[in-house]
Amino acid sequence: MIKFFKKLIFFPFRKVSRNARKTKLSPERNRKHVGKRLFFLAIALFTIFIFRFVWLITVNHVGGTDLKKMATNNYQSTVTVQAKRGTIYDRTGAPIAVDSSTYTIYVVLDKTQVDSNGNRMYADKSEYSKLEDFLNRELNIDRSLIEKQLNSKYKQVQFGTKGSNISLQKMQEIQKTAEEQKLVGIGFSADLSRSYPFGNFASQFIGIARPKDVNGVQVLQGDMGLEKSFNPILSGKNGVETYQKDILGRPIPGTTKVIEPVENGQDVYTTLDAQLQKLLETSMDSAASQTGAQEISGTLVDAHTGDILATSQRPTYTAETINSDITQKNFTWNSLLYQTAFEPGSTFKTFLMASALDSGKVDLNATYQRKLQVYDATINDWDVTENKSYTLPETVTYAQGFAMSSNIGMSRIEMDMGNDLWGSYLNKFKFGLKTRVGLDDENAGSLPSANAVSQIQSSFGQGVAVTPIQLIRGWTAIAGNGTMLEPHIVSKVVNPNTKTSLTSQPEVIGHPVSESAADKVRDLMLTVNTDPVYGTSYSTTGDPDEGIDPGPLFMVNGQAAAVKTGTAQIASSTGGYMTGSQDYLYSAVVMYPAKDPDFIFYMNVKIPSEPWTLKYIARVANPLLTRAESLKSELNQTNSDDEKAGQVKISDYKGKEAGTTADSLRQTVLNPVIIGSGTKVTAQSVSAGKKVNANTRILLLTDDKDQVMPDMYDWSKEEVNQLADWFGLKVTFEGSGTKVASQSLDVGTKAKKGQTLTVTLGS
């Protein structure tokens, strides 16, 4: 290359000399001749340079280098603006899950690291022993790991899991202690994290969010529970900005330009109440300790709204101690509220009795003998002795049979009703169907098989599988005079980008039994707690440790609550049922006040190691319901924030999976109703592109060939007409109200095209 440039530089001189010798021109003419040639050479070189310059401007590439991008990077930077993940609150605005930072500790070993005064900023080898003691004491890091890292060849070292996920408070404590001990070289790097200020607080229900790498960017993503299910709502959308910089790479003020605006995640206000939740957590700790049970779960619900006010389970975890918590015996990631189905036992008798009263298939004053053989199965009551007699009277009324939790009595009622009628009520109470409250991996449970014995046993809660949230859904009908509500887990969703909110309201989903039937069941539940002879929650000893005198175990403000207790056999993994003396699921549902319930509490205890007593559940229920009653006026208050009421834009759901669509709609505070048992949506009652208010009911027709009638209670005329159009029915309206009060084609029956549907409207 150097030789080439030398030749190029001396080329004119050689040319002049050579030309002079060849032509023998005079010096003047020779200079003139050479000048012309140099002139044309200069023009040629200038033309080449101009062409190359224009080419570079036009193409902006040299080989594989993008010149435009290189130039832009010299004076401009493009950065991703991280979206803030939405905060999860309780119903009053107390934060449950918030964005935060955790820290990872490191030690600098690079001896070139000194400050401007020449002071070292690295750990000297003479301090390794002191550092080892310090890190082991402060963070319980294994000494062998510390020694290995400090003596490595790296310039900066970290210390595994125990050296990461350090809270801000702990980081500040370590920094202060290190300064006091004059330890040099210790530093911290910040990591994106999610903080759960309450610690143990409905952990499996709320779930957890963790940082994950998505396209090279660290973002928080939900792993379980509400954090996972509501991830599209909470996560938001990252933005993109550019700014100009000076020759030192520093941003120039006023040059920032937004390319894509950041959309922060929406805030989710749950229906949980922090005061009630914390009390439940404390009580559950005591119950777990006292019973030694394999599993415990408990849930408190507002009977007037369906809002879940508190829910918890054991074993559980906290975000800070999760690594050790998951080693607990019988630990499960599942939320026992909605992800685990089980045979509920005698608490299920509330639904059998409500159905029988509604259909007129039981006379509570009629008597029966407590002996029953069904095909090859003998039905027994809990007080049966070794010689097949009973400790309580063998002949009782059906009202007394309910109070004493008689399996035989409920079986006889079911047999009088018939399997088809009993099955229709199970459908009306929506057992076997998910609640679709907006949470992933919900368990649908299962209805009893066609086997005659299973049908009868389902009357007392065996041979049927349910989740607590399904039971709660059904009990809202018994507490609410026959009107059934969908349980809600979200009270409000707030969009900080638009300053709008979607606020939840009670959602009516059916009317499985009459007001009189529901009222009578509550009366019967009261006798369970107050009848000194037959009541299963009436205690002749009371609970002196809790200040409860002999009498009803479940007392709130000096008043007896309505109760139904349960003792369910547990299926064995090898077939049949477990046979241990305490291999049962013990449970109770409590409604208070008994006459017009404000609250429903359900709790179950699986396989306790200590001798079972119903006092364990009463010790949780009584203080929780007492506190809930004292907070009743506060629970009914709505947040007086400044957000405007938002709207939801409806998408096209045709061809999409029906259940997933329903869950996503629920997350945006809408009320989806799936029509039929198909898997795909074929039509929707609200057209795509339309904006609707929160709590709007949206009908989703599925690809089910059987046109099965849904429960249309509380529907509008427009919604009835939409269903009639889909099913090809003729509709006749009676009454002067605006909402459906009754329908001529019963819930669960198959409608035929051209059939007449008579709908009675009420207020």
Side-chain angles (χ1 to χ4, degrees):
M1 184 64 70
I2 295 174
K3 290 182 179 179
F4 171 77
F5 281 112
K6 284 180 74 175
K7 288 181 179 180
L8 184 64
I9 293 170
F10 290 106
F11 172 75
F13 302 100
R14 291 199 304 272
K15 187 68 176 171
V16 170
S17 177
R18 192 181 303 118
N19 190 65
R21 289 196 301 269
K22 186 184 293 186
T23 60
K24 297 181 180 179
L25 297 175
S26 66
E28 184 179 352
R29 291 189 63 192
N30 187 53
R31 283 194 294 271
K32 195 180 224 182
H33 189 74
V34 170
K36 288 180 181 180
R37 294 194 177 191
L38 288 176
F39 174 74
F40 288 115
L41 177 63
I43 290 176
L45 289 173
F46 183 74
T47 302
I48 292 172
F49 284 133
I50 290 295
F51 176 79
R52 182 60 171 166
F53 185 67
V54 172
W55 173 265
L56 291 176
I57 292 175
T58 304
V59 178
N60 283 313
H61 274 84
V62 174
T65 303
D66 188 333
L67 297 178
K68 184 176 182 180
K69 184 176 180 180
M70 181 182 290
T72 300
N73 289 337
N74 285 333
Y75 68 86
Q76 180 175 290
S77 283
T78 300
V79 294
T80 298
V81 182
Q82 188 75 43
K84 177 184 178 296
R85 186 175 179 83
T87 300
I88 300 175
Y89 296 97
D90 86 330
R91 65 189 300 116
T92 66
I96 297 172
V98 296
D99 278 5
S100 65
S101 292
T102 58
Y103 298 86
T104 298
I105 193 169
Y106 62 84
V107 173
V108 177
L109 303 178
D110 184 2
K111 294 184 178 180
T112 64
Q113 297 298 309
V114 292
D115 63 17
S116 57
N117 296 320
N119 299 315
R120 66 180 175 85
M121 300 173 66
Y122 60 89
D124 190 72
K125 197 163 187 175
S126 62
E127 296 178 338
Y128 285 3
S129 177
K130 194 175 178 181
L131 270 171
E132 185 179 320
D133 292 339
F134 177 79
L135 294 172
N136 175 260
R137 182 177 62 254
E138 294 293 332
L139 296 170
N140 197 30
I141 302 173
D142 185 75
R143 288 180 177 273
S144 60
L145 175 61
I146 301 170
E147 183 180 6
K148 177 183 176 182
Q149 292 296 90
L150 291 178
N151 288 284
S152 68
K153 296 180 180 179
Y154 298 109
K155 295 182 178 182
Q156 182 174 300
V157 292
Q158 297 177 359
F159 303 94
T161 56
K162 290 186 177 179
S164 59
N165 292 320
I166 301 169
S167 67
L168 173 63
Q169 182 180 359
K170 184 64 177 176
M171 183 271 288
Q172 292 172 336
E173 291 175 1
I174 293 174
Q175 278 184 326
K176 183 178 179 182
T177 306
E179 289 174 5
E180 291 172 351
Q181 297 184 13
K182 295 182 169 41
L183 290 172
V184 180
I186 294 176
F188 295 88
S189 58
D191 305 305
L192 189 65
S193 183
R194 190 76 160 164
S195 173
Y196 299 86
F198 289 123
N200 186 8
F201 193 92
S203 295
Q204 274 95 336
F205 173 74
I206 295 296
I208 193 169
R210 304 180 186 183
K212 292 185 178 179
D213 190 288
V214 178
N215 298 323
V217 179
Q218 283 284 304
V219 296
L220 284 168
Q221 283 195 346
D223 261 0
M224 294 161 284
L226 190 145
E227 286 272 34
K228 177 184 177 184
S229 302
F230 280 70
N231 199 67
I233 304 292
L234 292 163
S235 60
K237 184 181 178 183
N238 290 342
V240 178
E241 291 182 356
T242 63
Y243 62 86
Q244 294 182 15
K245 54 188 180 182
D246 60 20
I247 58 174
L248 298 178
R250 296 173 299 193
I252 299 175
T255 63
T256 301
K257 183 179 180 181
V258 176
I259 305 301
E260 292 182 20
V262 63
E263 294 181 17
N264 289 323
Q266 299 182 59
D267 297 326
V268 174
Y269 288 72
T270 67
T271 56
L272 301 178
D273 178 83
Q275 295 185 61
L276 296 174
Q277 183 66 40
K278 287 188 286 185
L279 177 58
L280 178 60
E281 297 292 359
T282 302
S283 300
M284 293 288 277
D285 284 337
S286 298
S289 175
Q290 292 170 7
T291 64
Q294 290 186 8
E295 286 181 354
I296 301 179
S297 73
T299 302
L300 177 69
V301 182
D302 187 321
H304 299 300
T305 64
D307 288 353
I308 293 175
L309 301 174
T311 185
S312 185
Q313 67 187 70
R314 296 293 180 275
T316 189
Y317 68 90
T318 71
E320 290 188 354
T321 61
I322 190 169
N323 292 328
S324 59
D325 290 335
I326 60 177
T327 63
Q328 298 174 86
K329 190 176 181 181
N330 303 308
F331 179 84
T332 176
W333 289 115
N334 281 353
S335 168
L336 299 182
L337 175 65
Y338 67 94
Q339 290 181 315
T340 301
F342 53 89
E343 295 178 72
S346 295
T347 54
F348 207 66
K349 293 170 182 174
T350 52
F351 303 110
L352 184 280
M353 186 58 79
S355 303
L357 288 167
D358 183 67
S359 59
K361 295 296 182 179
V362 63
D363 178 357
L364 294 175
N365 296 317
T367 60
Y368 66 94
Q369 189 176 16
R370 293 200 291 143
K371 290 185 184 298
L372 183 62
Q373 184 77 23
V374 179
Y375 300 101
D376 59 345
T378 300
I379 307 297
N380 283 316
D381 285 342
W382 60 270
D383 63 331
V384 66
T385 63
E386 291 182 359
N387 60 6
K388 305 302 180 185
S389 62
Y390 294 98
T391 58
L392 291 172
E394 286 197 15
T395 301
V396 296
T397 66
Y398 283 103
Q400 292 167 337
F402 183 87
M404 65 178 293
S405 201
S406 168
N407 291 344
I408 294 172
M410 300 307 107
S411 297
R412 288 184 180 277
I413 294 173
E414 195 279 340
M415 293 169 72
D416 288 341
M417 290 180 67
N419 295 340
D420 290 343
L421 182 57
W422 170 227
S424 72
Y425 276 99
L426 289 175
N427 288 329
K428 289 179 181 180
F429 279 110
K430 297 188 181 296
F431 289 110
L433 294 177
K434 298 178 182 181
T435 61
R436 297 293 180 191
V437 293
L439 296 170
D440 291 347
D441 303 320
E442 183 179 355
N443 195 315
S446 62
L447 296 173
S449 66
N451 178 281
V453 175
S454 295
Q455 292 278 344
I456 293 170
Q457 289 179 331
S458 68
S459 68
F460 53 86
Q462 300 286 171
V464 60
V466 299
T467 61
I469 201 167
Q470 289 174 322
L471 290 171
I472 287 164
R473 174 173 61 185
W475 283 324
T476 62
I478 293 173
N481 295 322
T483 299
M484 189 161 66
L485 304 174
E486 195 75 272
H488 279 175
I489 61 171
V490 170
S491 61
K492 184 170 67 169
V493 175
V494 177
N495 189 331
N497 306 293
T498 59
K499 300 191 183 311
T500 58
S501 65
L502 303 168
T503 303
S504 174
Q505 296 176 357
E507 180 183 352
V508 175
I509 56 170
H511 204 275
V513 294
S514 65
E515 180 178 349
S516 61
D519 184 63
K520 191 59 184 176
V521 170
R522 294 198 303 273
D523 288 343
L524 291 170
M525 291 174 68
L526 185 60
T527 66
V528 171
N529 200 27
T530 58
D531 190 318
V533 177
Y534 298 101
T536 55
S537 67
Y538 185 95
S539 174
T540 57
T541 60
D543 189 357
D545 293 339
E546 298 296 314
I548 298 176
D549 296 327
L553 271 179
F554 295 89
M555 298 286 289
V556 181
N557 297 326
Q559 295 181 330
V563 179
K564 184 66 194 80
T565 61
T567 303
Q569 289 182 289
I570 300 172
S572 171
S573 58
T574 57
Y577 290 101
M578 300 176 71
T579 57
S581 61
Q582 294 205 145
D583 287 345
Y584 295 96
L585 182 80
Y586 300 97
S587 61
V589 55
V590 187
M591 298 183 186
Y592 180 83
K595 191 62 181 172
D596 182 18
D598 294 322
F599 304 102
I600 304 168
F601 177 69
Y602 173 68
M603 179 173 169
N604 60 43
V605 179
K606 182 179 179 181
I607 312 181
S609 61
E610 295 298 316
W612 174 251
T613 168
L614 199 60
K615 298 172 187 176
Y616 293 134
I617 294 181
R619 291 171 183 175
V620 178
N622 291 345
L624 185 65
L625 287 166
T626 301
R627 178 71 66 83
E629 195 67 22
S630 71
L631 295 173
K632 185 169 65 172
S633 60
E634 297 178 30
L635 294 172
N636 293 331
Q637 291 177 356
T638 57
N639 281 325
S640 57
D641 294 330
D642 297 330
E643 309 102 6
K644 298 181 295 183
Q647 289 190 312
V648 182
K649 186 176 181 180
I650 301 301
S651 300
D652 185 356
Y653 307 118
K654 293 175 185 176
K656 294 187 177 180
E657 204 277 322
T660 303
T661 300
D663 280 333
S664 65
L665 289 171
R666 186 82 64 193
Q667 291 163 5
T668 55
V669 199
L670 297 177
N671 300 345
V673 178
I674 298 176
I675 309 297
S677 57
T679 59
K680 300 293 183 181
V681 177
T682 58
Q684 57 196 73
S685 61
V686 181
S687 57
K690 185 176 181 180
K691 291 185 177 180
V692 297
N693 297 327
N695 307 291
T696 297
R697 183 183 286 115
I698 298 179
L699 310 182
L700 301 173
L701 182 66
T702 66
D703 52 0
D704 184 4
K705 294 181 180 179
D706 295 326
Q707 298 187 148
V708 179
M709 287 300 297
D711 192 332
M712 297 188 293
Y713 185 80
D714 198 56
W715 283 21
S716 67
K717 288 181 67 174
E718 291 76 11
E719 290 161 345
V720 173
N721 284 325
Q722 178 64 81
L723 182 78
D725 180 58
W726 285 340
F727 282 9
L729 303 176
K730 299 176 182 178
V731 185
T732 300
F733 291 101
E734 297 179 352
S736 57
T738 59
K739 299 290 185 179
V740 175
S742 65
Q743 60 194 76
S744 62
L745 297 179
D746 203 7
V747 177
T749 59
K750 295 180 181 179
K752 297 179 181 179
K753 190 174 183 180
Q755 199 169 0
T756 298
L757 168 65
T758 302
V759 172
T760 302
L761 299 175
S763 58

